[in-house]
Amino acid sequence: MSPEEFRASVDEEAPRMGLSAPLAALWWDAKGDWGRAHGLVDELGTAEGMAVHAYLHRKEGSASNADYWYGRAGRRFHRPTLEAEWAALVEGLLS
């Protein structure tokens, strides 16, 4: 699936089968369901899951919690907007 196909799939009723938990979390986030998105990565111990977890806490407005998860993921925040970070996460997870 390409990033463009992923973005278009957000118009569907449910995420497509076979998406990883981090991608499904980003899908639910794009649908406006932060809680469901967070639930998918809340206890996920992968670097990808922790990066999405960090993004979600950044979006929530909890900078200290986001910084903690960025650190656990081995990343530093470097995207100027939430939209740019979401797109970069999608692209990275689909590559």
Side-chain angles (χ1 to χ4, degrees):
M1 174 183 302
S2 72
E4 294 76 25
E5 291 170 322
F6 182 81
R7 282 185 197 94
S9 79
V10 173
D11 290 334
E12 298 169 9
E13 299 246 347
R16 293 187 182 170
M17 297 296 293
L19 290 181
S20 66
L23 274 171
L26 291 169
W27 190 93
W28 284 110
D29 173 63
K31 292 291 269 189
D33 194 336
W34 187 95
R36 195 161 188 177
H38 183 261
L40 287 168
V41 294
D42 187 34
E43 303 212 11
L44 197 58
T46 65
E48 294 84 4
M50 290 185 276
V52 172
H53 196 172
Y55 156 79
L56 290 169
H57 281 297
R58 178 175 171 233
K59 185 172 188 177
E60 175 192 36
S62 180
S64 62
N65 204 350
D67 287 344
Y68 169 79
W69 287 105
Y70 284 121
R72 294 274 321 264
R75 300 178 182 206
R76 293 203 177 271
F77 166 71
H78 62 279
R79 301 287 179 215
T81 65
L82 288 167
E83 294 80 13
E85 186 172 356
W86 185 92
L89 286 165
V90 167
E91 289 174 24
L93 289 166
L94 288 172
S95 64

